[in-house]
């Protein structure tokens, strides 16, 4: 029996699946050739990350499929309800990437507070001749300790981020549609320190925070959570961070807010039009952007691979 890992898989995860007696193919099959590849090889399981779409026509045209696995959290690239109706199991690996995404957010916070992205990008070109003027331009950072982070969406990643932010001496506010309080455990050396955080209102989080980080799923109808009205309520020094899903921050209204100096900056790992994001965002001097790499660490990918193997074992009843 063959499984196609179309967006790649960690070597330990691949070995764990193969130890169940399955063959794992890691060919990168283009989207428009997927149906014929799956049928030609009688693929029983299709594993994807965010790049491959698994829509109704593919599900209908590939009767050999018994499961579709998403290495990661959001399954918006899979017609999951339809697949389940047709008897095809769909699973994801929700817990594996939280720490990695939270660490990327912390990296973005530190990078934006000290202009690392802009200063680091300028040094290879002008560092030799314009050292003093670069020092003047970028030597006006601020400390992270004591700043307030507002976390919108306080699920797995939001809570993992709170632990890092609290550890760095930040004040943490959160807003979540389904929570009024949440206990956070800080693991320091071999000690565990528990603290209870109370929900704030959405308006408080938006208007008080120095950093506003989004950790919500793709919203119904693709609605944004942060747009024009929210930018108008933010502090002038506010930095908006989106590692959740493209579209949860309205990109055109973000550009407007940055150009009008309503907020200080933005850090984006996800975009409305992936894999071809709006160039105005990528080129903007106040935006730090990364190509959807929140979960792209060795540790997260290994955990994802092993979680996939566990799911397959459960589904195939090995
Ligand atoms: P989760 O399901 O554990 O938590 C999401 C939380 O958001 C829930 O508590 C929910 O109640 C809350 N929520 C939903 N809509 C809301 C709204 N409008 N306002 C306030 N709260 C709202 O999910 P998670 O594992 O923490 O993942 C969060 C997001 O991160 C998802 O969109 C996921 O796709 C994305 N993600 C991105 C990467 C990356 O590589 N950048 C990696 C993993 C996950």
């Amino acid at each position: 029996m063959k499984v196609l890992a179309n967006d790649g898989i960690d070597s330990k995860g691949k070995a764990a699946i193969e130890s169940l007696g399955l063959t794992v193919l890691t060919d990168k099959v283009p989207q428009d050739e997927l149906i014929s590849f799956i049928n030609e090889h009688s693929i029983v399981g299709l594993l994807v990350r965010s790049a491959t779409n698994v829509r109704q026509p593919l599900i209908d045209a590939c009767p050999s499929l018994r499961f579709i696995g998403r290495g990661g959290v959001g399954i918006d690239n899979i017609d999951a309800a339809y697949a389940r109706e047709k008897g095809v199991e769909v699973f994801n690996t929700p817990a594996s990437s939280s720490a990695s995404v939270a660490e990327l957010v912390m990296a973005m916070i530190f990078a934006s507070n000290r202009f690392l992205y802009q200063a680091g990008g300028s040094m290879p070109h002008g560092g030799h001749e314009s050292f003093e003027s670069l020092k003047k331009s970028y030597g006006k950072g601020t400390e992270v300790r004591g700043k307030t982070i507002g976390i919108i969406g306080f699920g797995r990643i939001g809570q993992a981020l709170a632990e890092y932010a609290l550890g760095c001496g930040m004040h943490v506010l959160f807003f979540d549609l389904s929570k009024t309080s949440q206990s956070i455990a800080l693991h320091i050396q071999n000690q565990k320190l528990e603290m209870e955080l109370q929900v704030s209102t959405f308006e408080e989080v938006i208007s008080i925070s120095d950093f506003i980080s989004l950790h919500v799923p793709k919203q119904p109808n693709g609605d944004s959570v942060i747009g024009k009205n929210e930018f108008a309520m933010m502090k002038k020094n506010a930095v908006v961070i989106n590692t959740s899903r493209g579209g949860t921050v309205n990109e055109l209204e973000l550009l407007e807010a940055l150009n009008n100096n309503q907020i200080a900056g933005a850090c984006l790992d996800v975009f409305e039009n992936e894999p071809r994001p709006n160039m105005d965002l990528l080129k903007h001097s106040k935006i730090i952007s990364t190509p959807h790499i929140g979960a792209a660490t060795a540790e997260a990918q290994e955990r994802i691979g092993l979680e996939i193997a566990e799911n397959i074992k459960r589904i195939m009843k090995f």
Side-chain angles (χ1 to χ4, degrees):
M1 282 191 285
K2 291 180 194 151
V3 171
L4 171 64
N6 205 44
D7 298 333
I9 186 161
D10 171 79
S11 58
K12 286 202 180 139
K14 181 171 183 271
I17 300 169
E18 287 179 336
S19 76
L20 301 172
L22 293 157
T23 303
V24 180
L25 306 180
T26 51
D27 307 55
K28 174 71 193 163
V29 183
Q31 188 73 49
D32 58 354
E33 293 170 25
L34 257 183
I35 291 177
S36 52
F37 187 94
I38 290 171
N39 288 329
E40 196 180 312
H41 295 271
S42 304
I43 300 288
V44 295
L46 175 59
L47 303 177
V48 301
R49 290 183 190 158
S50 57
T52 302
N53 289 315
V54 191
R55 299 293 173 210
Q56 284 190 18
L58 184 147
I59 296 162
D60 284 336
C62 299
S64 61
L65 275 186
R66 290 176 58 186
F67 62 84
I68 301 162
R70 159 77 162 99
V73 180
I75 52 169
D76 36 296
N77 54 328
I78 301 170
D79 284 340
Y82 186 77
R84 287 178 182 130
E85 242 173 60
K86 295 271 160 179
V88 179
E89 291 252 15
V90 179
F91 63 84
N92 61 350
T93 58
S96 298
S97 48
S98 305
S100 292
V101 180
E103 287 192 13
L104 179 66
V105 175
M106 291 310 295
M108 287 169 155
I109 289 174
F110 282 108
S112 64
N113 251 26
R114 301 302 293 270
F115 307 102
L116 280 193
Y117 189 72
Q118 295 86 346
S122 305
M123 285 298 275
H125 311 290
H128 184 58
E129 288 177 340
S130 320
F131 195 95
E132 287 304 329
S133 75
L134 289 175
K135 184 172 178 172
K136 218 171 180 175
S137 302
Y138 300 122
K140 50 187 179 192
T142 52
E143 290 182 353
V144 167
R145 182 169 292 277
K147 298 291 182 300
T148 299
I149 181 167
I151 302 176
I152 299 178
F154 212 53
R156 287 170 292 253
I157 299 173
Q159 291 170 42
L161 174 60
E163 186 185 348
Y164 282 103
L166 289 166
C168 289
M170 299 183 84
H171 300 292
V172 175
L173 301 178
F174 82 86
F175 172 74
D176 192 291
L177 288 179
S178 65
K179 288 189 174 72
T180 51
S181 67
Q182 179 66 50
S183 127
I184 298 293
L186 262 73
H187 298 88
I188 301 167
Q189 302 280 37
N190 54 358
Q191 296 196 40
K192 189 173 158 190
L193 186 66
E194 292 244 11
M195 53 199 307
E196 188 81 1
L197 299 182
Q198 302 298 325
V199 72
S200 298
T201 65
F202 180 69
E203 288 72 19
E204 277 166 347
V205 171
I206 292 289
S207 58
I208 296 174
S209 304
D210 302 296
F211 297 93
I212 295 157
S213 194
L214 269 181
H215 301 286
V216 299
K218 195 176 177 74
Q219 299 293 289
N221 309 317
D223 286 350
S224 63
V225 176
I226 293 185
K228 204 180 172 120
N229 295 339
E230 288 71 32
F231 293 126
M233 288 193 273
M234 288 180 193
K235 285 160 73 169
K236 287 224 174 322
N237 70 303
V239 173
V240 172
I241 302 171
N242 191 11
T243 59
S244 64
R245 274 289 174 269
T248 52
V249 173
N250 184 309
E251 293 182 348
L252 295 179
E253 291 170 9
L254 169 66
L255 286 168
E256 231 174 86
L258 290 169
N259 293 336
N260 296 339
N261 296 319
Q262 269 181 306
I263 62 167
C267 306
L268 305 175
D269 186 46
V270 291
F271 302 87
E272 272 171 36
N273 196 29
E274 290 182 30
R276 295 194 159 274
N278 179 345
M279 276 304 281
D280 292 341
L281 295 166
L282 306 186
K283 288 193 294 191
H284 203 286
S285 62
K286 294 180 184 169
I287 296 181
I288 292 177
S289 58
T290 48
H292 203 147
I293 55 168
T297 63
E299 291 84 353
Q301 291 309 314
E302 184 180 318
R303 285 192 296 266
I304 285 171
L306 296 175
E307 202 177 334
I308 286 174
E310 279 306 310
N311 273 293
I312 295 176
K313 195 172 166 185
R314 171 181 57 79
I315 290 165
M316 304 296 273
K317 300 186 175 49
F318 285 121

